[in-house]
Amino acid sequence: MLIKIILTVIFLLVTIGVGIYSRKQAKSVDGFVLGGRSVGPWLTAFAFGTSYFSAVVFVGYAGQFGWKYGLSASWIGIGNAIIGSLLAWIVLGRRTKLMTQHIQSRTMPDFFGTRFSSEGLRVVASIIAFVFLIPYTAGVYMGISKLFEMGFGIPYSYCAMIMAALTAIYVILGGYKATAINDFIQGIIMLFGITTVIYVVLHNQGGLTEAVNKMAAQVPTAHDLEDKSGLFSTFQLGDFASWFGPNPLSLLGVVVLTSLGTWGLPQMVGKFYSITDESAIKRGTIISTIFALIVSGGCYFIGSFGRLYPEPAFSPEKHKYAFDSIVPSMLETLPDVLIALVVLLVLSASMSTLASLVLTSSSTMTLDLIYRDKKSTDDEVKGGEIDDEVAEKIERRKVVIMRVLIVFFIALSLMIALNPPQFIAQLMGISWGALAGAFLAPFMLGLYWRGVTTASVWACFAWGVGLTVVNMMLSNSLLNPIDCGAVAMVGGFIVVAIVSLFTKKMDTNTVDSIFKCYEK
């Protein structure tokens, strides 16, 4: 216990120290939100990866999908690396950097408002982002708190409150730069921790070959067959050790949600706004992909051996397992030093994700709702109507409001985490489904296609949020939150394409001026 406490205290002191070190660069809006648009490839790549993977993945998703799909759950990690990282950087990285800098966009709602000449889009997008980032944040709290409860014996509620307070301190102090530096430190811990845990888990099972042989002998339990998903209705012996598991189609839905989803999440896409230049994007692509392959692939690979450990508790009323307890129970057998390492691993992943979420939410509310007339203010400053001293006061006021909203956002999501309505994976499915379902298609197509219309963006917002909310409110949902999220994302492209063909086009001169950024 002493080793656990010492390592955790050192980690937390370093985290807060980085916040204090970075506070000088967090005085202006660009400095607080984007790190002055001068963050290098290593920091950006690690910030992307650590914001992507949190306790939601390590505890919630790895446990639940490892139990359901066996070794084939590893495909989720591979999909995260190839689709969620490699292709995301290739398809979105350069174009996002150039266009957002050209139109002076600081947030994703700001992009929609400026790119499609609509203040209404800016406002509605900011509300969608704020509302649906909350359940994701609550899921992150739940994941790390369950690990702390296992490793330190501290009650769940205290863990959640302590982590909320510490995250608030370093984000409020140092803004995005502090977040990026801490993400780099936390990313190194994650890489070292995940490789160590993989080795120990396999060693405890007699090696890789023996562990796979044990998984091949696994069959669904009686409680599995009570699951209403029908996942095991056509189960064959050996499916848990097969390439594509007991239900490949359901597995594909998870890959789509967790991989393609990053393309439409404000806290992920925002990383491309802040990177220094195009050469840094190329290096960041490689770094981010390798990071994702090790961390996400490792998480799902570990979770895929969950059936070799005691069966988790089952709730007859809900016809569900306590999936969030699977990974913690797997790790309880580790030596104390390794448990401390795992706690730091998940703490690192979770705090970096939380920092990104609260920074995104507060900046969106401040810049796109409270100060959404940014363009006119900037024009007044350039035209000399507002002197430098007044302009500086406005900048400071915006930063203060963002810091206040960070506290509000953390408190609100903490309240949900202390009384959670769903499992971790379902909370993330609702959040990612609504956000990426609404934002992914119009954002990506808006970077490439001049023909995207303002009406099609409105239609996609209604599609993504509407499908998620209606599915969530139905007592017997048409789809589980994860499959619903995947349908929302893919369907968004169809919605935008069809509506754009039959609605009024944007002014040609306006669109041409926006796309000039790619001509250099």
Side-chain angles (χ1 to χ4, degrees):
M1 181 60 72
L2 181 62
I3 294 172
K4 295 178 193 174
I5 293 172
I6 290 173
L7 288 175
T8 306
V9 169
I10 291 172
F11 169 81
L12 297 176
L13 288 176
V14 170
T15 298
I16 294 172
V18 169
I20 296 171
Y21 167 77
S22 305
R23 71 188 188 281
K24 290 182 180 179
Q25 299 178 27
K27 293 180 179 179
S28 68
V29 172
D30 263 2
F32 192 81
V33 178
L34 301 173
R37 294 188 189 265
S38 59
V39 181
W42 281 91
L43 291 185
T44 302
F46 272 68
F48 187 90
T50 54
S51 297
Y52 193 168
F53 310 116
S54 66
V56 172
V57 173
F58 189 78
V59 178
Y61 271 22
Q64 177 168 336
F65 300 130
W67 183 267
K68 286 187 173 183
Y69 304 115
L71 292 179
S72 66
S74 301
W75 283 110
I76 305 172
I78 296 170
N80 291 173
I82 296 174
I83 302 171
S85 292
L86 178 63
L87 291 180
W89 278 73
I90 291 172
V91 175
L92 300 179
R94 174 181 175 272
R95 285 191 165 250
T96 300
K97 165 69 178 176
L98 293 178
M99 185 175 285
T100 57
Q101 195 162 6
H102 178 64
I103 64 176
Q104 299 179 358
S105 167
R106 292 164 172 164
T107 65
M108 185 177 271
D110 188 14
F111 171 86
F112 289 124
T114 307
R115 165 67 178 85
F116 300 104
S117 303
S118 171
E119 279 299 306
L121 283 178
R122 188 196 312 274
V123 173
V124 171
S126 64
I127 294 171
I128 293 171
F130 188 82
V131 170
F132 286 98
L133 283 175
I134 292 173
Y136 184 21
T137 310
V140 175
Y141 280 123
M142 290 170 62
I144 181 58
S145 299
K146 288 182 181 296
L147 256 293
F148 253 90
E149 198 170 25
M150 179 272 292
F152 288 83
I154 302 174
Y156 166 82
S157 57
Y158 293 152
C159 296
M161 287 186 281
I162 291 169
M163 190 177 67
L166 290 168
T167 305
I169 289 171
Y170 86 79
V171 178
I172 288 171
L173 283 173
Y176 182 75
K177 196 60 178 285
T179 302
I181 295 172
N182 272 322
D183 286 348
F184 183 73
I185 297 169
Q186 292 159 357
I188 292 172
I189 295 172
M190 290 167 67
L191 290 171
F192 179 71
I194 201 75
T195 50
T196 305
V197 171
I198 289 172
Y199 171 78
V200 173
V201 167
L202 291 179
H203 179 75
N204 288 347
Q205 294 296 330
L208 176 60
T209 304
E210 182 62 23
V212 172
N213 290 338
K214 290 180 181 178
M215 285 298 297
Q218 294 295 311
V219 295
T221 66
H223 289 150
D224 282 323
L225 300 175
E226 292 179 37
D227 190 337
K228 300 303 182 184
S229 67
L231 191 67
F232 305 104
S233 58
T234 58
F235 178 85
Q236 301 294 321
L237 184 63
D239 271 359
F240 290 122
S242 67
W243 280 99
F244 298 109
N247 194 324
L249 191 60
S250 176
L251 177 63
L252 179 62
V254 179
V255 173
V256 171
L257 176 77
T258 61
S259 302
L260 196 59
T262 60
W263 297 35
L265 297 179
Q267 75 274 17
M268 301 299 298
V269 174
K271 302 297 184 288
F272 301 132
Y273 287 42
S274 59
I275 197 165
T276 51
D277 51 45
E278 291 185 53
S279 63
I281 291 174
K282 293 176 182 177
R283 283 176 283 159
T285 302
I286 298 169
I287 298 165
S288 178
T289 303
I290 295 172
F291 182 90
L293 192 60
I294 296 172
V295 173
S296 184
C299 285
Y300 287 108
F301 184 66
I302 291 170
S304 68
F305 293 101
R307 287 182 180 268
L308 302 184
Y309 293 81
E311 184 179 351
F314 184 82
S315 169
E317 299 82 18
K318 297 180 179 179
H319 299 283
K320 286 184 179 292
Y321 281 107
F323 290 118
D324 300 340
S325 67
I326 294 175
V327 171
S329 68
M330 291 174 66
L331 301 175
E332 280 180 335
T333 58
L334 297 178
D336 282 346
V337 175
L338 281 180
I339 289 179
L341 179 62
V342 170
V343 170
L344 283 184
L345 183 165
V346 182
L347 183 63
S348 297
S350 301
M351 288 185 71
S352 58
T353 302
L354 274 179
S356 180
L357 290 170
V358 299
L359 189 58
T360 299
S361 183
S362 67
S363 60
T364 293
M365 289 294 286
T366 302
L367 301 178
D368 301 315
L369 276 180
I370 300 172
Y371 282 97
R372 65 177 183 272
D373 59 341
K374 169 183 74 74
K375 299 293 185 219
S376 61
T377 303
D378 289 348
D379 291 341
E380 289 173 353
V381 173
K382 291 175 184 176
E385 296 176 37
I386 297 179
D387 60 33
D388 291 342
E389 186 177 344
V390 174
E392 190 176 332
K393 285 182 180 178
I394 293 173
E395 285 282 289
R396 285 202 300 267
R397 194 181 306 145
K398 290 178 182 178
V399 174
V400 168
I401 291 172
M402 278 190 271
R403 285 173 166 147
V404 171
L405 285 172
I406 284 172
V407 175
F408 172 73
F409 182 79
I410 285 179
L412 192 59
S413 53
L414 180 60
M415 289 170 60
I416 296 176
L418 294 177
N419 188 26
Q422 297 272 353
F423 290 114
I424 293 175
Q426 276 62 42
L427 283 174
M428 184 172 166
I430 291 167
S431 176
W432 282 41
L435 288 169
F439 294 161
L440 169 56
F443 181 81
M444 177 181 161
L445 294 176
L447 295 173
Y448 281 88
W449 183 25
R450 296 168 186 254
V452 179
T453 64
T454 304
S456 72
V457 183
W458 280 114
C460 198
F461 284 6
W463 159 259
V465 174
L467 179 64
T468 304
V469 171
V470 169
N471 189 68
M472 182 174 61
M473 292 178 66
L474 292 174
S475 55
N476 293 313
S477 299
L478 298 173
L479 298 166
N480 68 55
I482 294 150
D483 290 341
C484 180
V487 170
M489 290 177 205
V490 176
F493 287 95
I494 300 172
V495 170
V496 172
I498 292 176
V499 176
S500 291
L501 293 176
F502 297 101
T503 52
K504 182 182 176 182
K505 306 298 180 189
M506 291 184 61
D507 177 66
T508 304
N509 292 331
T510 301
V511 175
D512 287 344
S513 68
I514 290 173
F515 276 79
K516 273 186 179 179
C517 60
Y518 300 140
E519 295 174 5
K520 298 179 182 179

